[in-house]
């Protein structure tokens, strides 16, 4: 037992308080260890192709704002990449959810369309780059199309799995109350599959962010992937690392945003994960 402000904490409350403190400290320790490894790597790596130190990367990031590359600062290049995945995800979340619901809900549609879909998702997104480049050139549309190819399957698979695993008892209750097929779909099945749908939203967002960077590295004049390629071509290692750090930060922010949206729209998922 311990006393704090004349309030006696039970053993369970004390254990929970210690757990919260530990979970608050662990991320700080993790970041400190990462910085320590970075400093060691830069200290023992010398020469023109040595690993840049945090100070080098910071100076290069500042210069990137003072002297933009292709008239865009780091934030400008990040926004170009985000614009590309935003357009791609708008299509993914519209068509992908509808298609996943179709093949997850309708057995005949699944039997007819699933083989073609499985063949499509087995092709790596980067394998589409030669064909897309030949057909559409190297403008914005080809990059967005490659992102769609690389992230569409993530949401379709999750939505299909969620629709296929809807508890039959829920559907039977709807039948007992004379619910129409449309009511069973939109008022019972889809709400029951929201967990899986948001899992697809998260994975498709992460996949889109990775694919757009790969597409930009293979041919672009703006974007975070372009910055990394520019740094590699000019042997500017601090610029390469600046782009990599930007990728990690933006990717983490996207994950946090999608998780927050899930908790906001599906608050019961948080309660499930706490058990």
């Amino acid at each position: 037992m311990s006393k704090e402000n004349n309030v006696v904490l039970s053993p369970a409350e004390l254990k929970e308080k210690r757990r919260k403190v530990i979970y608050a400290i662990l991320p700080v320790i993790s970041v400190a260890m990462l910085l320590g490894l970075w400093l060691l790597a830069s200290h023992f790596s010398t020469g023109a192709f040595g690993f840049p130190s945090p100070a080098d990367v910071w100076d290069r990031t500042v210069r990137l704002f003072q002297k933009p590359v292709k008239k865009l600062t780091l934030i400008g290049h990040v926004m170009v990449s985000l614009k590309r995945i935003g357009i791609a995800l708008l299509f993914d979340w519209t068509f992908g959810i509808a298609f996943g619901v179709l093949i997850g809900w309708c057995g005949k549609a699944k039997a007819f369309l699933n083989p073609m879909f499985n063949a499509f998702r087995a092709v790596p997104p980067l394998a589409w780059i030669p064909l897309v480049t030949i057909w559409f050139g190297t403008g914005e549309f080809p990059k967005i199309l490659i992102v769609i190819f690389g992230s569409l399957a993530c949401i379709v698979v999750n939505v299909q799995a969620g629709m296929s695993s809807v508890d039959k008892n829920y559907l039977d209750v709807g039948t007992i109350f004379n619910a129409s097929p449309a009511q069973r779909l939109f008022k019972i099945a889809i709400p029951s599959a929201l967990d899986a749908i948001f899992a697809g939203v998260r994975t498709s967002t992460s996949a889109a962010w990775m694919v757009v960077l790969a597409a930009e590295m293979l041919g672009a004049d703006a974007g975070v992937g372009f910055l990394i390629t520019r740094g590699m071509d000019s042997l500017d290692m601090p610029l390469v690392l600046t782009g990599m750090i930007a990728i990690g930060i933006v990717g983490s922010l996207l994950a946090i945003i999608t998780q927050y949206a899930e908790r906001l729209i599906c608050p019961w998922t948080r309660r499930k994960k706490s058990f």
Side-chain angles (χ1 to χ4, degrees):
M1 296 279 211
S2 69
K3 293 186 178 181
E4 184 174 306
N5 295 330
N6 297 324
V7 176
V8 179
L9 298 178
S10 67
E13 291 173 334
L14 187 60
K15 183 178 179 180
E16 178 66 17
K17 186 176 180 180
R18 288 174 178 170
R19 187 185 70 84
K20 290 181 179 179
V21 171
I22 291 172
Y23 275 87
I25 293 175
L26 285 177
V28 178
I29 297 175
S30 175
V31 173
M33 289 178 62
L34 181 61
L35 288 174
L37 290 173
W38 185 358
L39 289 170
L40 283 175
S42 62
H43 178 72
F44 291 105
S45 178
T46 59
F49 304 104
F51 199 78
S53 67
D56 295 332
V57 175
W58 174 256
D59 290 340
R60 187 64 184 89
T61 304
V62 172
R63 283 195 290 118
L64 186 56
F65 282 94
Q66 295 172 345
K67 296 180 179 180
V69 176
K70 292 288 185 177
K71 300 181 180 180
L72 290 173
T73 65
L74 177 60
I75 295 176
H77 286 284
V78 169
M79 295 307 295
V80 169
S81 298
L82 289 176
K83 179 182 176 182
R84 288 167 180 157
I85 72 167
I87 296 172
L89 288 175
L90 183 62
F91 176 85
D92 285 348
W93 296 344
T94 304
F95 174 79
I97 291 176
F99 186 74
V101 168
L102 175 65
I103 61 178
W105 180 254
C106 179
K108 292 180 180 178
K110 179 179 179 181
F112 178 69
L113 297 171
N114 219 35
M116 290 185 286
F117 171 69
N118 287 332
F120 165 79
R121 73 188 182 100
V123 179
L126 297 185
W128 290 98
I129 289 178
L131 283 177
V132 171
T133 303
I134 292 171
W135 290 340
F136 304 107
T138 58
E140 284 298 303
F141 178 71
K143 295 177 182 62
I144 294 170
L145 192 60
I146 292 169
V147 176
I148 291 173
F149 288 162
S151 55
L152 180 62
C154 298
I155 190 155
V156 173
V157 168
N158 279 276
V159 174
Q160 178 189 2
M163 295 297 296
S164 301
S165 60
V166 173
D167 195 332
K168 189 176 180 298
N169 292 328
Y170 297 161
L171 301 176
D172 291 340
V173 170
T175 303
I176 292 172
F177 284 95
N178 297 319
S180 66
Q183 289 175 324
R184 293 172 67 203
L185 173 62
F186 290 102
K187 294 189 176 182
I188 298 176
I190 291 179
S192 299
L194 279 178
D195 293 6
I197 291 173
F198 269 98
V201 168
R202 291 197 307 272
T203 54
S204 64
T205 302
S206 299
W209 183 237
M210 289 186 289
V211 173
V212 75
L213 295 169
E216 289 171 350
M217 291 178 71
L218 292 172
D221 57 1
V224 185
F226 163 76
L227 280 183
I228 294 177
T229 304
R230 180 68 172 267
M232 180 181 65
D233 293 340
S234 60
L235 302 180
D236 188 350
M237 294 300 107
L239 180 59
V240 172
L241 214 59
T242 296
M244 292 173 62
I245 292 172
I247 290 170
I249 292 174
V250 175
S252 299
L253 290 175
L254 290 174
I256 291 171
I257 291 170
T258 52
Q259 288 177 358
Y260 179 78
E262 179 185 9
R263 292 177 180 179
L264 191 65
I265 299 175
C266 310
W268 58 87
T269 59
R270 186 175 183 179
R271 290 195 295 270
K272 285 181 181 179
K273 292 174 184 176
S274 64
F275 291 132

